[in-house]
């Protein structure tokens, strides 16, 4: 906030030197960033936090100085004497968007004379770094920098039907901003505008329009004083790249309760400098002005937070000087928050006010503080375990941007979903929020390929985004990508990685299964062949080979295998509940089976069928390998698995296992039409 020493002193008794102002405001939380001597005055630039919109004006800064130094705050007063007809007979105001414009007011002055501003006003503006225009426009700028209330003045004769309508813009509606050399801009339905009966005459809270600008020929004016929703103003300002002193203040919020005081001040200045007749009454439309907020502060709580005891009378005096009208009620102080202090919402805010006025440098610094180290969150521990395990298996972690290109995103959208686009010019060629981690990993793989890196394994955990029926979805997933080292291995290497992670996070009893996708109905088109990964019967993701048509689009020369799983089901209950068992006391008997079966028969089906036999002493059924070749035949494969038998109380004999192996072989031959390889 740029303010001048003399202008601040207009509201202080006694006045303060520039050095005193800088020192006091720095103590109040507004450090001085720089000074400059201008026309016998001192221009000061104070750092301003976004929640202190009440201090982006000279009166706001003077109020802080008066409160912390004990000076008297002198506020300007205005007495108006309307001599014109009722304003309702001259103009109309219609507010169609009270949520975006809580209050809009209008006053009319007729018969003014536009000319140069008096020297005292022109000097105040020049010292602040502004260029004087004329007595009417300069008055609006003066009130804005005095009270922090942006206002605007329309040439009444240029308003169609003397009407003011607050509405949203129509799509592609045109607006010509104020200023020499400005070009028309296209608006959209998200823009809040001020319009007359036919066209847009101002961007609400941002900038006035050239079509209704005040000129030397203007004789009748309509004074706008209003407040607008901060987010609406901010979005419009950013969307059209128009930043003004008005938008800066409205983005920090302006309370409807301070509008009339500032508007009366502006009307009085214009009448003094430009003459004319003020019409009786004020046009207004919007919501009722909110009541002042009541907030209480416990005295003991204030002492505990600040670490120092402050007398109650001093607390009351500080809060009184800040305008809180404090009242002591037993062990607490009840306050009514001034309308300009929109940042005060709860007890801790009042404690902060007391601390600011007491002086942060007066609060003792404790040489020791007590802290309690919180245990690591289970989800954090789980992700650390995942990363450590993957790194141990030769994978490298990548960290990529969540934005990708449109062409990259189209390959990885599920049926019935749409991509999410970022409406920001800075996104440029990458405007899509990634629906999958895999396109990011493929892009990294291409970069490494171009630099001669081969046999790469990568992983990344991050958010993925899409929308279904206009509902935004965001899911954290773990993506894995690796070069295919042996095509005969199929999907087994990636399945093994996922099984290892599942056992790490869910315990040794976790059951991971992969159900192959039927290629004609493959829901995940970026895996071919591919399959659905389930953990204890619950779908957690997909794995498969990335088809050549996709790797070709990413510029990859070699095939890659990938997986993408939702980590929530893996890490929700980490660490797993595990139970230790004593080591087996007796040796096991292991028997291998190799069966030639149809390609459609899955290992999962055989595993379930063998366990369903309920064989005595059967401890485990483990997959060994699968073989395909011309000697086996087309659409056939040789699947080998191992059965482990063990008794807990003695050493088994082979004669006890032979009958059970016969039942396994007989079942496989009958149920799966298998040929047993001897």
């Amino acid at each position: 906030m740029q303010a001048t020493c003399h202008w601040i002193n207009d509201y202080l008794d006694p006045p303060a030197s520039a050095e005193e102002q800088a020192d006091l405001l720095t103590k109040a939380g507004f450090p001085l960033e720089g000074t400059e001597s201008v026309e016998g005055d001192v221009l000061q630039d104070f750092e301003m936090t976004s929640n202190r919109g009440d201090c982006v004006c000279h009166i706001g800064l003077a109020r802080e100085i008066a409160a912390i130094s004990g000076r008297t705050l002198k506020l300007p007063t205005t007495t108006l004497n309307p001599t014109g007809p009722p304003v309702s007979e001259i103009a109309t105001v219609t507010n169609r968007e009270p949520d975006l414009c809580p209050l809009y007011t209008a006053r009319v002055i007729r018969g003014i004379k536009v000319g140069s501003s008096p020297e005292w006003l022109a000097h105040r503006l020049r010292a602040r770094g502004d260029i004087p225009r004329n007595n009417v426009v300069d008055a609006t700028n003066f009130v804005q920098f005095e009270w922090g209330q942006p206002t605007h003045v329309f040439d009444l004769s240029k308003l169609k039907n003397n009407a003011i309508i607050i509405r949203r813009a129509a799509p592609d509606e045109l607006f010509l901003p104020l200023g020499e050399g400005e070009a028309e801009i296209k608006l959209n339905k998200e823009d809040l505008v001020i319009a007359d009966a036919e066209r847009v005459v101002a961007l609400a809270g941002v900038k006035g329009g050239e079509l209704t600008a005040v000129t030397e020929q203007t004789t009748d004016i309509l004074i706008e004083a209003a407040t607008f929703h901060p987010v609406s103003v901010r979005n419009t300002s950013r969307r059209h790249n128009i930043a003004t002193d008005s938008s800066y203040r409205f983005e920090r919020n302006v309370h409807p309760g301070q509008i009339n005081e500032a508007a009366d001040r502006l009307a009085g200045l214009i009448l003094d400098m430009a003459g004319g007749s003020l019409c009786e009454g004020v046009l207004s439309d919007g919501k009722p002005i909110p009541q002042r907020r009541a907030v209480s502060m416990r005295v003991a709580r204030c002492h505990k937070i600040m670490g120092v005891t402050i007398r109650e009378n001093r607390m009351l005096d500080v809060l009184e000087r800040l305008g809180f009208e404090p009242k002591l009620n037993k062990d607490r102080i009840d306050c009514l928050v001034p309308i300009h202090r929109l940042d005060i919402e709860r007890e801790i805010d009042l404690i902060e006010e007391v601390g600011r006025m007491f002086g942060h440098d007066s609060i003792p610094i404790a040489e020791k503080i007590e802290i309690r180290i919180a245990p690591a969150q289970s989800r954090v521990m789980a992700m650390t375990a995942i990363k450590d395990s993957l790194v141990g298996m030769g994978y490298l972690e990548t960290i990529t941007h969540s934005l990708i290109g449109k062409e990259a995103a189209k390959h990885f959208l599920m049926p019935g979903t749409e991509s999410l686009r970022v409406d920001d010019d800075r996104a440029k060629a990458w405007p899509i929020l990634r629906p999958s981690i895999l396109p990011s990993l493929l892009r990294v793989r291409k970069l490494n390929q171009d630099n001669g890196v081969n046999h790469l394994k990568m992983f990344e955990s991050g958010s993925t985004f899409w929308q279904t029926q206009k509902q935004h979805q965001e899911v954290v997933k773990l993506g894995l990508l690796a070069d295919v080292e042996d095509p005969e291995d199929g999907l087994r290497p990636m399945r093994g990685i996922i099984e290892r992670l599942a056992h790490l996070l869910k315990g040794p009893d976790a059951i991971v299964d992969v159900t192959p996708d039927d290629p004609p109905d493959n829901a995940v088109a970026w895996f071919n062949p591919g399959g659905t990964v389930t953990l204890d019967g619950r779908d957690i993701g997909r794995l498969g080979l990335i088809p050549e048509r996709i790797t070709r689009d990413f510029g990859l020369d070699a095939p890659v295998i990938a997986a993408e799983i939702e980590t929530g089901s893996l890490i929700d209950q980490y660490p797993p509940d595990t139970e230790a068992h004593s080591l087996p006391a007796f040796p096991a008997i292991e028997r291998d089976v190799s069966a030639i079966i149809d390609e459609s028969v899955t290992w999962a089906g055989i595993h379930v069928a063998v366990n369903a036999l309920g064989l005595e002493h059967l401890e485990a059924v483990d997959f060994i390998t699968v073989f395909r070749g011309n000697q086996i035949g087309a659409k056939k494969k040789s699947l080998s698995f191992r059965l482990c038998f063990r008794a807990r109380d003695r050493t088994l004999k082979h004669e006890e296992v032979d009958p059970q192996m016969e039942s396994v072989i007989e079942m496989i031959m009958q149920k799966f039409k298998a040929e047993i390889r001897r």
Side-chain angles (χ1 to χ4, degrees):
M1 166 63 189
Q2 290 187 320
T4 68
C5 176
H6 291 173
W7 198 341
I8 291 177
N9 280 332
D10 288 343
Y11 316 108
L12 290 176
D13 185 22
S17 66
E19 292 76 11
E20 288 179 288
Q21 292 180 8
D23 181 61
L24 292 169
L25 288 173
T26 298
K27 290 181 179 179
F30 308 102
L32 180 69
E33 294 188 321
T35 63
E36 180 183 352
S37 296
V38 181
E39 296 190 18
D41 204 343
V42 179
L43 177 62
Q44 304 169 99
D45 188 6
F46 294 100
E47 181 181 330
M48 198 63 53
T49 55
S50 60
N51 67 328
R52 290 305 302 270
D54 60 300
C55 286
V56 290
C57 60
H58 288 79
I59 286 180
L61 296 177
R63 183 186 291 112
E64 292 292 312
I65 292 173
I68 201 168
S69 67
R71 286 176 167 82
T72 300
L73 179 67
K74 303 184 303 179
L75 295 179
T77 58
T78 302
T79 301
L80 297 176
N81 182 26
T83 58
V87 68
S88 58
E89 297 177 2
I90 307 298
T92 60
V93 168
T94 304
N95 186 356
R96 297 178 183 172
E97 298 289 340
D99 289 336
L100 300 182
C101 176
L103 180 61
Y104 189 99
T105 69
R107 293 159 173 77
V108 171
I109 301 178
R110 300 194 299 178
I112 67 168
K113 175 63 177 177
V114 178
S116 300
S117 296
E119 179 56 25
W120 69 267
L121 176 56
H123 174 74
R124 286 285 183 264
L125 296 178
R126 287 196 306 268
R128 218 199 71 90
D130 301 294
I131 301 174
R133 305 294 182 182
N134 58 57
N135 50 6
V136 175
V137 174
D138 292 349
T140 63
N141 289 331
F142 180 85
V143 170
Q144 177 172 239
F145 300 133
E146 180 183 59
W147 283 97
Q149 169 67 54
T151 58
H152 186 66
V153 175
F154 299 95
D155 186 326
L156 186 63
S157 66
K158 298 176 182 178
L159 289 173
K160 301 298 183 181
N161 296 345
N162 289 356
I164 288 290
I165 302 173
I166 301 92
R167 61 173 173 82
R168 292 181 185 267
D172 295 331
E173 190 170 11
L174 297 178
F175 168 65
L176 179 61
L178 270 169
E180 185 176 350
E182 291 283 356
E184 283 187 323
I185 60 175
K186 283 187 178 181
L187 308 177
N188 65 37
K189 62 181 182 180
E190 300 301 321
D191 293 320
L192 184 68
V193 300
I194 311 301
D196 59 16
E198 299 178 3
R199 68 235 163 129
V200 176
V201 295
L203 272 181
V206 179
K207 198 168 188 179
E210 185 67 29
L211 298 178
T212 55
V214 171
T215 65
E216 292 182 356
Q217 288 73 42
T218 299
T219 58
D220 299 340
I221 59 173
L222 183 142
I223 299 173
E224 167 193 289
T227 185
F228 304 101
H229 195 282
V231 175
S232 173
V233 174
R234 183 180 303 115
N235 289 342
T236 298
S237 175
R238 304 296 189 274
R239 188 179 299 118
H240 301 291
N241 197 26
I242 301 176
T244 62
D245 289 318
S246 294
S247 65
Y248 178 84
R249 284 156 178 78
F250 281 126
E251 287 177 22
R252 283 152 180 77
N253 216 338
V254 173
H255 194 285
Q258 69 185 69
I259 289 176
N260 286 328
E261 195 168 22
D264 286 346
R265 171 69 162 162
L266 175 58
L269 288 173
I270 293 176
L271 290 171
D272 289 342
M273 297 185 296
S277 173
L278 175 66
C279 291
E280 184 178 355
V282 177
L283 297 173
S284 66
D285 195 1
K287 297 180 178 180
I289 296 176
Q291 296 293 318
R292 292 172 60 182
R293 187 182 297 114
V295 179
S296 297
M297 178 187 73
R298 291 165 292 175
V299 173
R301 182 63 175 168
C302 182
H303 291 161
K304 183 176 181 180
I305 292 293
M306 292 181 57
V308 64
T309 300
I310 304 175
R311 289 183 291 106
E312 293 174 349
N313 287 342
R314 187 167 183 180
M315 291 184 184
L316 293 169
D317 179 59
V318 162
L319 294 172
E320 182 66 40
R321 284 189 273 123
L322 287 170
F324 286 93
E325 301 181 18
K327 293 182 179 179
L328 184 61
N329 184 2
K330 296 182 180 179
D331 59 347
R332 74 172 192 266
I333 297 176
D334 298 328
C335 296
L336 283 177
V337 180
I339 57 173
H340 56 270
R341 291 303 302 272
L342 298 172
D343 59 310
I344 306 298
E345 298 181 347
R346 49 189 181 153
E347 180 184 47
I348 192 65
D349 298 327
L350 289 179
I351 295 174
E352 182 183 0
E353 293 302 293
V354 173
R356 285 194 316 117
M357 296 296 108
F358 179 72
H360 293 152
D361 56 344
S362 300
I363 299 176
I365 300 176
E367 296 182 358
K368 296 180 180 179
I369 59 173
E370 293 183 2
I371 62 172
R372 180 179 62 86
I373 300 177
Q377 297 180 0
S378 60
R379 296 177 69 88
V380 175
M381 294 170 59
M383 286 308 304
T384 300
I386 289 174
K387 294 178 181 181
D388 288 346
S389 180
L390 288 172
V391 170
M393 290 185 280
Y395 278 75
L396 300 176
E397 183 179 10
T398 70
I399 300 176
T400 60
H401 205 287
S402 58
L403 293 176
I404 62 175
K406 182 179 179 181
E407 291 301 313
K410 72 178 183 180
H411 293 298
F412 298 91
L413 281 171
M414 294 287 287
T417 66
E418 299 178 10
S419 59
L420 283 170
R421 175 183 291 271
V422 175
D423 187 14
D424 193 324
D425 292 338
R426 293 171 295 181
K428 296 184 179 179
W430 293 355
I432 306 300
L433 284 166
R434 61 185 178 192
S436 165
I437 302 292
L438 299 185
S440 300
L441 293 177
L442 288 168
R443 191 169 69 232
V444 175
R445 185 66 192 92
K446 174 62 167 61
L447 177 64
N448 281 270
Q449 173 185 282
D450 293 345
N451 286 274
V453 179
N454 298 315
H455 307 298
L456 189 61
K457 299 177 181 179
M458 302 176 296
F459 75 94
E460 180 172 346
S461 176
S463 293
T464 58
F465 311 84
W466 65 90
Q467 62 178 349
T468 55
Q469 299 179 347
K470 305 304 179 181
Q471 294 294 318
H472 294 184
Q473 305 290 332
E474 179 178 352
V475 177
V476 176
K477 294 185 178 181
L478 175 68
L480 304 166
L481 186 77
D483 293 345
V484 175
E485 297 181 2
D486 185 352
E488 293 298 324
D489 288 339
L491 306 181
R492 291 196 301 277
M494 189 60 70
R495 172 177 178 154
I497 297 293
I498 296 176
E499 284 186 337
R500 185 165 178 177
L501 294 178
H503 293 154
L504 172 71
L505 301 175
K506 303 290 284 186
D509 296 330
I511 299 176
V512 174
D513 195 11
V514 177
T515 304
D517 292 325
D518 190 3
D521 301 320
N522 189 3
V524 186
W526 57 91
F527 287 140
N528 189 14
T532 300
V533 181
T534 60
L535 174 62
D536 295 336
R538 178 183 176 186
D539 185 350
I540 63 170
R542 304 287 188 275
L543 63 78
L545 289 170
I546 302 293
E548 184 180 355
R549 61 182 176 80
I550 295 180
T551 57
R552 186 172 56 247
D553 284 352
F554 280 87
L556 296 182
D557 300 332
V560 292
I561 187 171
E564 190 169 47
I565 60 177
E566 295 184 19
T567 56
S569 57
L570 286 175
I571 65 179
D572 281 345
Q573 298 177 351
Y574 184 84
D577 292 328
T578 57
E579 184 177 349
H581 299 278
S582 59
L583 293 174
F586 299 95
I589 295 178
E590 294 181 342
R591 297 286 183 89
D592 293 349
V593 177
S594 293
I596 298 175
I597 53 178
D598 290 339
E599 189 69 57
S600 60
V601 177
T602 65
W603 159 242
I606 292 180
H607 186 271
V608 171
V610 172
N611 281 314
L613 292 175
L615 302 176
E616 186 179 9
H617 304 308
L618 180 64
E619 185 177 79
V621 183
D622 297 320
F623 173 86
I624 298 177
T625 187
V626 66
F627 174 77
R628 297 174 177 86
N630 293 332
Q631 60 269 45
I632 294 178
K635 297 184 179 180
K636 294 283 187 176
K637 61 185 177 182
S638 175
L639 188 146
S640 299
F641 60 95
R642 177 170 296 149
L643 293 89
C644 178
F645 296 89
R646 190 194 310 270
R648 294 184 178 182
D649 57 348
R650 58 190 171 85
T651 300
L652 282 177
K653 297 179 180 180
H654 286 276
E655 293 78 8
E656 296 179 86
V657 173
D658 290 341
Q660 304 197 61
M661 286 301 303
E662 290 297 328
S663 62
V664 170
I665 291 173
E666 182 179 356
M667 182 273 293
I668 293 176
M669 293 174 62
Q670 292 182 0
K671 184 171 184 177
F672 298 104
K673 304 296 186 285
E675 176 185 346
I676 303 301
R677 301 179 67 185
R678 302 293 181 177

